[in-house]
Amino acid sequence: NPPLHFTSFLPYPLPWAPVASPAIPPPDFSWFTESCGVKSAIGVVMGSGMGMVMGVFLSAMSDTRPPVTIVNGREVPTSPMKEQMKQSMRSTREKSLYWARNFAFISGLFAGTECIVEKARGKHDVWNQVLGGCATGAAMQAKSGPQAAAMGCGGFAAFSLCIEAVMGH
């Protein structure tokens, strides 16, 4: 008689899970996670998602108007609720897309440059974040001229250094 297992009486199938064995090694995805392109792409996707959230939040905070209904002794007509909702949704969408583009650019560029600097230097230390921050800040201010790019480099590098000091490795 085979032994009875408690799973044989379950009314639903259990999900299949591979069993680790020494004969079959687990798949190695380190080539995928160590790729600078993949790190940059993950930064773009996560940054745009965070930018969308930030845009919705800031749009909700900025679109509040005081309830002024009388100006110069006359009552100001209000637009219909449907029109107000359309305007609010349009404003929220525009703000969300604006912040999503900015966050995607910043996080993708920072992740990519930090990875490239780490691979070029062959070390994993705080200077990778500082140099990646410098490149990101300079790229953000590149259209404004060399002085602005230098200030952006220094500012973002200092910000990266402070974040690294607070968060650590």
Side-chain angles (χ1 to χ4, degrees), residues 43-165:
V44 167
V45 171
M46 298 302 279
S48 63
M50 187 63 203
M52 289 284 246
V53 170
M54 190 80 161
V56 168
F57 176 74
L58 291 176
S59 178
M61 294 292 120
S62 69
D63 286 342
T64 57
R65 295 184 193 96
V68 177
T69 57
I70 298 176
V71 175
N72 294 333
R74 294 185 179 176
E75 188 172 329
V76 177
T78 59
S79 57
M81 179 62 90
K82 187 176 181 180
E83 188 62 35
Q84 290 178 14
M85 291 298 288
K86 277 185 184 178
Q87 180 63 28
S88 178
M89 293 299 280
R90 188 177 307 121
S91 172
T92 301
R93 184 184 72 233
E94 288 170 2
K95 240 179 217 178
S96 292
L97 291 176
Y98 169 79
W99 283 100
R101 279 192 299 269
N102 286 338
F103 271 64
F105 174 75
I106 292 168
S107 60
L109 186 62
F110 180 79
T113 55
E114 190 263 336
C115 178
I116 290 169
V117 167
E118 183 176 338
K119 292 211 187 266
R121 292 182 66 230
K123 295 179 183 176
H124 181 71
D125 58 3
V126 71
W127 293 107
N128 298 333
Q129 283 82 14
V130 171
L131 293 172
C134 177
T136 302
M140 287 170 50
Q141 297 298 321
K143 290 181 182 178
S144 301
Q147 255 186 328
M151 290 297 290
C153 169
F156 214 100
F159 177 72
S160 299
L161 186 64
C162 290
I163 292 296
E164 186 64 25

Side-chain angles (χ1 to χ4, degrees), residues 30-52:
S30 63
W31 62 271
F32 188 71
T33 57
E34 292 298 318
S35 167
C36 290
V38 171
K39 285 184 179 182
S40 185
I42 289 171
V44 167
V45 171
M46 298 302 279
S48 63
M50 187 63 203
M52 289 284 246

